[in-house]
Amino acid sequence: MVRENEIRQNEVAVSPPEPVDAGLVFIGRIRTPWDQRLLCPRQGRADGPLCRIEIFEPWDQALRGVEAFERLEVLYWLDRSRRDLVLQSPGSNGKVHGTFSLRSPVRPNPIGTSIVHLERVEGNVLFVRGLDCLDGTPLLDLKPDRSLFKPIAPPQPGDYETGETAT
Ligand code: SAM
């Protein structure tokens, strides 16, 4: 894992294509107590500090109903990450791991996810615990924690399929 964009022993960087951010829209901004990567938690914790998620207009209208969920899944853009490492050494000890076997912020598309505990909603602002990102990190999406969510739309055939298919 990279903490300050350095390359460590045995880490491997590639020359990635020019990043195109897939037309993503930043729908808000996350406010946390951390202004340096080295101070952030590696993973958020349910009893961590209270953080704010500010939703921009017009997406604030999309908050209707979120207060019914005790936990939300938050997706965010780890905007200060490098994106070119395929092998990383989180232990800084020469032992390397493939990027996709890690939850490092360094990845081709630096999407971070956390399950947060929702304390309250005030207008366009959610107060949550469980984040691990820098102050000002752009917000990509919010969803109910899947373990709390029952689809409202009627079931469809794939919902009943079991067994093996390899295509
Ligand atoms: N919980 C998320 C996940 O599992 O997808 C992110 C985990 S990642 C290990 C968390 C680390 O990313 C933090 O400790 C910090 O070093 C780094 N980080 C946080 N916010 C960042 C940002 N906006 N840009 C780049 N790195 C960031």
Side-chain angles (χ1 to χ4, degrees), residues 55 58-69 72 118 121 123-124 126 142 144 149 152:
I55 309 295
W59 313 109
D60 51 338
Q61 300 168 71
L63 288 174
R64 189 184 300 186
V66 290
E67 65 285 348
F69 296 94
L72 299 172
L118 179 62
V121 182
N124 68 327
L126 286 76
L142 287 175
F149 185 75
I152 298 164

Side-chain angles (χ1 to χ4, degrees), residues 105-123:
V106 176
R107 37 207 331 114
N109 297 309
I111 295 172
T113 71
S114 287
I115 299 293
V116 299
H117 289 253
L118 179 62
E119 296 235 337
R120 64 182 191 277
V121 182
E122 287 180 12

Side-chain angles (χ1 to χ4, degrees), residues 1-4 6-13 42 82 85-106:
M1 188 198 301
V2 167
R3 304 295 291 176
E4 290 293 353
E6 74 279 15
I7 293 262
R8 297 173 177 161
Q9 187 190 0
N10 295 335
E11 288 189 331
V12 173
R42 293 182 198 276
R82 59 184 300 157
L85 294 191
V86 288
L87 294 179
Q88 303 184 43
S89 180
S92 304
N93 56 3
K95 186 171 177 212
V96 289
H97 304 258
T99 290
F100 301 140
S101 72
L102 298 171
R103 295 197 69 101
S104 159
V106 176

Side-chain angles (χ1 to χ4, degrees), residues 3 41-43 76 78-80 103 105 113 132 134 137:
R3 304 295 291 176
R42 293 182 198 276
Q43 288 293 338
Y76 38 99
L78 295 159
D79 57 340
R80 282 153 268 186
R103 295 197 69 101
T113 71
D132 53 21
L134 289 166
T137 294

